[in-house]
């Protein structure tokens, strides 16, 4: 029984170590080489390649274009759903506070930022499913300060 467990642990360790080795690439007319390109390492790290980034950018541009063509009523439907989502997130924050997982002041700050971002998004009418990024918010506020 003990020997079987040791054998199983040994086999799993060998499998884990073998999966760490660099990928082998067979190039036409060449011998076997080790792949060390950025694309291969990005795929191993779960990061998108440049080609995947370009494809995603094209998809986002198409979605934004379609969003811009929607009627005000259709956009209002989406905003209503997003407002419901925001309300659920606020309930989660409140629950975290009541369970003692999160500080009330921190939760209040997060709620305030959520409210501000939602109001800004709705006011601008821009495509709502872009990733909200605090860095971009800071850049936008710095631009507004510089414009004044």
């Amino acid at each position: 029984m003990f020997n079987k467990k040791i054998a199983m642990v040994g086999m799993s360790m060998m499998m884990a170590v073998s999966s760490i080795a660099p990928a082998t690439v067979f190039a036409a007319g060449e011998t076997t080489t080790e792949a060390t390109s950025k694309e291969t390492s990005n795929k191993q790290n779960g990061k998108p390649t440049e080609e995947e980034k370009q494809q995603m950018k094209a998809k986002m541009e198409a979605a934004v274009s379609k969003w811009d063509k929607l009627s005000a009523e259709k956009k209002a439907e989406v905003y209503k759903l997003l407002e419901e989502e925001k309300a659920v997130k606020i309930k989660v924050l409140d629950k975290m506070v009541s369970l003692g997982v999160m500080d009330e002041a921190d939760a209040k700050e997060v709620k305030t930022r959520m409210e501000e971002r939602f109001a800004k998004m709705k006011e601008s009418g821009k495509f709502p499913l872009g990733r909200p990024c605090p860095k971009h918010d800071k850049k936008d506020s710095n631009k507004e300060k510089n414009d004044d």
Side-chain angles (χ1 to χ4, degrees), residues 45-124:
N45 294 331
K47 295 179 181 177
T49 62
E50 285 301 316
E51 182 180 334
E52 290 169 333
K53 287 179 184 178
Q54 291 300 323
Q55 289 173 349
M56 183 55 79
K57 185 177 179 179
K59 285 181 181 182
M60 278 299 287
E61 288 172 355
V64 169
S65 174
K66 290 176 184 178
W67 171 260
D68 291 341
K69 293 175 185 174
L70 287 179
S71 67
E73 294 83 24
K74 296 291 183 187
K75 288 180 181 180
E77 290 176 31
V78 174
Y79 287 132
K80 183 180 180 207
L81 291 171
L82 289 169
E83 195 154 3
E84 291 172 10
E85 178 187 36
K86 179 182 57 111
V88 170
K89 288 180 179 181
I90 287 173
K91 285 181 183 179
V92 170
L93 288 170
D94 290 339
K95 187 64 172 182
M96 297 293 253
V97 169
S98 71
L99 294 172
V101 175
M102 191 172 199
D103 185 52
E104 191 169 350
D106 293 337
K108 187 175 180 179
E109 185 178 330
V110 171
K111 288 179 200 177
T112 302
R113 271 192 263 128
M114 283 173 53
E115 294 286 351
E116 288 171 356
R117 283 193 187 126
F118 182 79
K120 190 183 245 185
M121 174 201 52
K122 194 171 178 181
E123 182 182 315
S124 72

